[in-house]
Amino acid sequence: MKGHSIIVTDADMDRLRRLTRALKLTLFRDQLQLESLERTLESAEIMSSERIPRDVIRMNSRIRVLDFDTRKIELYTLVFPENANISTGWMSVLAPVGIALLGNRQGDVIETKVPGGTRRLRVERVLNRSELARERVRPDRTTRRELHSGGTLQRTTLAA
């Protein structure tokens, strides 16, 4: 779907290559995904973090995508497998969609096979670490209310 090569930072490339080597030595359950990530990395253009365009998806990027089938906007953060939690939108770089997103740019359309069929997504927005730090993060009101009311805090006493 894309007419250009993907771009990966030199630091991300180093860590991703170490990850793929380590997983080859284990009994990683999904060797096809591992091979797919390796092929993606082999074809990638490597750039220093300072030179990489701001709209390129790299590790820890926050990505807003449009799913063509559901017509819904979805938010993901591309992370290493140990940090993945799809219920919070933290997409593993070893997941089919994670592999497909890596190194693409805002405006790109990606198509990838997933266990349920094929997904077609358009990258609507890419926020990288420096941009994420600038965004205002509002505290979760429920948590703040619970802490102020004392409802979830328990007092404990120590026996002598």
Side-chain angles (χ1 to χ4, degrees):
M1 300 256 42
K2 56 188 184 279
H4 59 83
S5 65
I6 67 162
I7 303 170
V8 178
T9 68
D10 48 2
D12 286 347
M13 180 64 81
D14 180 53
R15 187 156 177 211
L16 289 166
R17 282 186 175 150
R18 283 186 282 138
L19 173 69
T20 58
R21 278 194 304 270
L23 289 176
K24 277 184 175 181
L25 299 175
T26 68
L27 296 175
F28 182 65
R29 64 186 166 137
D30 201 340
Q31 290 296 317
L32 291 177
Q33 288 308 113
L34 189 56
E35 291 168 9
S36 178
L37 178 58
E38 285 182 311
R39 281 191 306 275
T40 298
L41 296 176
E42 286 171 6
S43 66
E45 179 182 348
I46 303 169
M47 282 189 190
S48 69
S49 297
E50 298 81 33
R51 289 190 47 233
I52 199 165
R54 290 175 50 167
D55 65 345
V56 171
I57 300 169
R58 47 192 124 160
M59 295 308 299
N60 299 308
S61 292
R62 184 102 171 122
I63 309 117
R64 184 174 65 206
V65 297
L66 171 67
D67 186 310
F68 284 111
D69 293 329
T70 65
R71 304 302 299 163
K72 291 183 180 177
I73 297 287
E74 298 172 344
L75 293 172
Y76 298 122
T77 301
L78 187 63
V79 298
F80 287 94
E82 64 270 16
N83 298 320
N85 181 348
I86 198 59
S87 66
T88 61
W90 289 33
M91 172 76 64
S92 171
V93 70
L94 284 173
V97 172
I99 294 168
L101 287 170
L102 179 67
N104 281 285
R105 300 175 93 152
Q106 191 167 303
D108 285 350
V109 173
I110 62 163
E111 187 172 312
T112 188
K113 291 192 184 316
V114 296
T118 300
R119 292 199 60 197
R120 286 189 62 227
L121 307 170
R122 181 175 59 228
V123 179
E124 297 287 313
R125 179 113 164 105
V126 178
L127 293 174
N128 291 303
R129 287 176 215 159
S130 59
E131 294 166 295
L132 287 171
R134 282 180 274 174
E135 281 196 346
R136 283 185 55 117
V137 177
R138 287 191 255 170
D140 178 20
R141 291 183 182 150
T142 304
T143 304
R144 186 176 46 193
R145 185 171 44 249
E146 288 173 354
L147 290 174
H148 287 300
S149 69
T152 59
L153 298 177
Q154 296 179 355
R155 294 188 85 155
T156 57
T157 57
L158 298 175

